[in-house]
Amino acid sequence: MVLSIESAQNIFSKTQVPSPIPATIALFDQLGVDDQLAYLWYAYTEMGKTITPAAPGVARLQLAEGLLNQIKEMSQEEQTQVMRELASRADSPISRSYGFFSVNTKLAFWYELGELMKQGVVTPIPSGYQMSPGVKVVLEATQKLDAGQQITVLRNTVVDMGFDTSALGPSTSKPAAEPAFKRSVPPITSVKIEGITEPAVLGYIEAMNSDNFDAAINLFTTDGALQPPFQKPIVGHEAIAKYMREEAQGLNMMPKQGISEVLPDGSKQLKITGVVQTPWFGVTVGMNIAWRFLINPQGKIFFVAIDMLASPQELMNLRPV
Ligand code: 45D
């Protein structure tokens, strides 16, 4: 039997519970631009009462410094205009530059802008802004989410801002090397997962927990794929390695339990649930997730999907199907 990505995407699909995250983002997408900016500011400051992201390191902030300096020099009206361009994904010089940033540089850019807003150097909300009722609806939906889901909503809205540069091809300037996240706690290396002994899975978690992406990649088949939450599969060693360097650094993966089934052709499907911490929030925010692996008969990873769970109850949702 030839394994296909399409069929791999559907393993354990009957055990999956729809996440409230896309529903919240769909409500957000319906807001006008000024309402979107106001929603994000309120959501970010509200969240800030209990959790705040770690300050990005100097190296990461340097990548955003050019844009930040331009914005600092602007009048209030111009600053508001730039944020509108980013939120509406307009084709403007600043929105294009932002569009070429990596995910973590985008987050660092907004982190610093948020600090400048708190200091009164940059204006958070357009002057004379009147909130529409829709903003309240999205804020209420957001309050129902747990902390891990809330930071995912913020992250995904930040990632989606700026001009979509994917159609332009790679940036003409060489992409900046992604600075490393410093781990605040030592990586978790001796991994035990209740119900799972599969070497490729244990090796994957161990490699990821020490940012050893080469070791993780070598566990995949050459046509293997990794599907991040709410995204299409990323296929092949080179593309997965690039993605990991940009977006999977400094993560603490704490898988707890799993189930494993051997298929007639000797391949295996495994579903594992557990908690992941991002370097932005360290041990203060745990995200409940599932990994769904398809391992080929030779013990290589053909496919792994990472799913955000709808609720902590879902961590236990491991009946075989
Ligand atoms: O004024 O096995 C706003 C993979 C605008 C890899 C703002 C993974 C308004 C494979 C933007 C609001 C990676 C897939 C200001 C596993 C405004 C694998 C500022 C999973 C000031 C397990 C907002 C990893 C700011 C996972 C500064 C699930 C917002 C990782 C900052 C998840 C938000 C990581 C931040 C997440 C959010 C990180 C820093 C969800 C970070 C979220």
Side-chain angles (χ1 to χ4, degrees), residues 35 37 55 60 70 83 122 146 151 159 166 180 204 217 220 227 242 255 264 274 287 290 301-302 313:
D35 280 336
L37 291 170
R60 200 175 295 284
Q70 282 183 56
M83 282 184 260
V122 169
D146 67 34
I151 66 167
V159 171
S166 59
Y204 171 85
I217 295 296
F220 284 76
Q227 180 179 288
K242 179 178 185 290
M287 284 165 286
I301 303 170
F302 175 69
Q313 289 74 37

Side-chain angles (χ1 to χ4, degrees), residues 40-41 44 111 114 117 152 155 158 204 243 253 287 291:
L40 287 169
W41 173 249
Y44 183 60
Y111 173 89
M117 288 172 185
T152 306
R155 180 185 192 268
V158 164
Y204 171 85
Y243 172 81
M253 305 194 184
M287 284 165 286
W291 290 266

Side-chain angles (χ1 to χ4, degrees), residues 1-121:
M1 187 180 93
V2 183
L3 301 173
S4 81
I5 290 179
E6 288 70 31
S7 60
Q9 282 179 293
N10 291 322
I11 60 172
F12 296 109
S13 59
K14 291 198 187 78
T15 66
Q16 285 184 272
V17 178
S19 159
I21 293 167
T24 308
I25 292 176
L27 290 174
F28 168 85
D29 283 337
Q30 285 170 25
L31 298 175
V33 171
D34 283 4
D35 280 336
Q36 288 191 346
L37 291 170
Y39 159 83
L40 287 169
W41 173 249
Y42 293 136
Y44 183 60
T45 45
E46 186 57 34
M47 196 182 82
K49 292 175 186 166
T50 46
I51 50 164
T52 41
V58 177
R60 200 175 295 284
L61 269 178
Q62 253 164 19
L63 301 173
E65 208 174 26
L67 281 200
L68 288 163
N69 286 339
Q70 282 183 56
I71 293 171
K72 278 192 238 176
E73 300 297 310
M74 291 177 175
S75 69
Q76 273 204 8
E77 287 71 35
E78 288 168 331
Q79 290 173 343
T80 297
Q81 198 46 40
V82 164
M83 282 184 260
R84 284 183 180 135
E85 286 168 9
L86 292 174
S88 63
R89 299 165 210 174
D91 187 1
S92 72
I94 288 191
S95 178
R96 273 196 185 219
S97 305
Y98 179 94
F100 281 113
F101 283 172
S102 72
V103 167
N104 285 316
T105 306
K106 287 177 177 170
L107 290 168
F109 167 87
W110 279 107
Y111 173 89
E112 192 58 21
L113 219 46
E115 294 303 299
L116 295 169
M117 288 172 185
K118 288 180 204 160
Q119 293 162 22
V121 178

Side-chain angles (χ1 to χ4, degrees), residues 32-312:
V33 171
D34 283 4
D35 280 336
Q36 288 191 346
L37 291 170
Y39 159 83
L40 287 169
W41 173 249
Y42 293 136
Y44 183 60
T45 45
E46 186 57 34
M47 196 182 82
K49 292 175 186 166
T50 46
I51 50 164
T52 41
V58 177
R60 200 175 295 284
L61 269 178
Q62 253 164 19
L63 301 173
E65 208 174 26
L67 281 200
L68 288 163
N69 286 339
Q70 282 183 56
I71 293 171
K72 278 192 238 176
E73 300 297 310
M74 291 177 175
S75 69
Q76 273 204 8
E77 287 71 35
E78 288 168 331
Q79 290 173 343
T80 297
Q81 198 46 40
V82 164
M83 282 184 260
R84 284 183 180 135
E85 286 168 9
L86 292 174
S88 63
R89 299 165 210 174
D91 187 1
S92 72
I94 288 191
S95 178
R96 273 196 185 219
S97 305
Y98 179 94
F100 281 113
F101 283 172
S102 72
V103 167
N104 285 316
T105 306
K106 287 177 177 170
L107 290 168
F109 167 87
W110 279 107
Y111 173 89
E112 192 58 21
L113 219 46
E115 294 303 299
L116 295 169
M117 288 172 185
K118 288 180 204 160
Q119 293 162 22
V121 178
V122 169
T123 177
I125 289 172
S127 59
Y129 168 75
Q130 297 274 319
M131 195 200 284
S132 79
V135 176
K136 218 175 144 224
V137 173
V138 195
L139 283 172
E140 278 164 8
T142 308
Q143 274 160 11
K144 294 197 185 99
L145 305 178
D146 67 34
Q149 293 167 330
Q150 290 185 5
I151 66 167
T152 306
V153 169
L154 276 186
R155 180 185 192 268
N156 290 5
T157 54
V158 164
V159 171
D160 273 351
M161 283 192 217
F163 186 64
D164 179 3
T165 56
S166 59
L168 301 175
S171 167
T172 43
S173 53
K174 230 172 115 239
E178 193 69 24
F181 275 99
K182 279 207 191 68
R183 284 176 181 273
S184 49
V185 286
I188 301 160
T189 44
S190 72
V191 182
K192 285 199 185 62
I193 312 172
E194 210 185 299
I196 303 296
T197 54
E198 180 63 35
V201 170
L202 299 174
Y204 171 85
I205 301 289
E206 205 174 304
M208 296 300 286
N209 274 343
S210 40
D211 299 320
N212 189 349
F213 303 131
D214 290 337
I217 295 296
N218 279 328
L219 298 166
F220 284 76
T221 64
T222 50
D223 57 351
L226 180 143
Q227 180 179 288
F230 316 117
Q231 288 185 47
K232 290 198 193 75
I234 298 164
V235 186
H237 283 198
E238 206 185 315
I240 299 173
K242 179 178 185 290
Y243 172 81
M244 285 179 175
R245 282 192 300 269
E246 286 181 3
E247 303 196 32
Q249 268 193 52
L251 297 171
N252 263 331
M253 305 194 184
M254 296 171 282
K256 300 252 159 67
Q257 59 240 317
I259 48 172
S260 165
E261 293 163 25
V262 182
L263 303 174
D265 69 341
S267 58
K268 280 179 212 156
Q269 55 181 43
L270 302 95
K271 179 173 174 175
I272 293 134
T273 58
V275 174
V276 173
Q277 294 162 345
T278 154
W280 285 102
F281 291 92
V283 297
T284 55
V285 183
M287 284 165 286
N288 301 320
I289 69 153
W291 290 266
R292 291 178 292 126
F293 282 94
L294 186 61
I295 309 287
N296 80 359
Q298 289 74 42
K300 290 267 182 185
I301 303 170
F302 175 69
F303 179 82
V304 57
I306 293 88
D307 310 310
M308 302 291 299
L309 301 184
S311 68

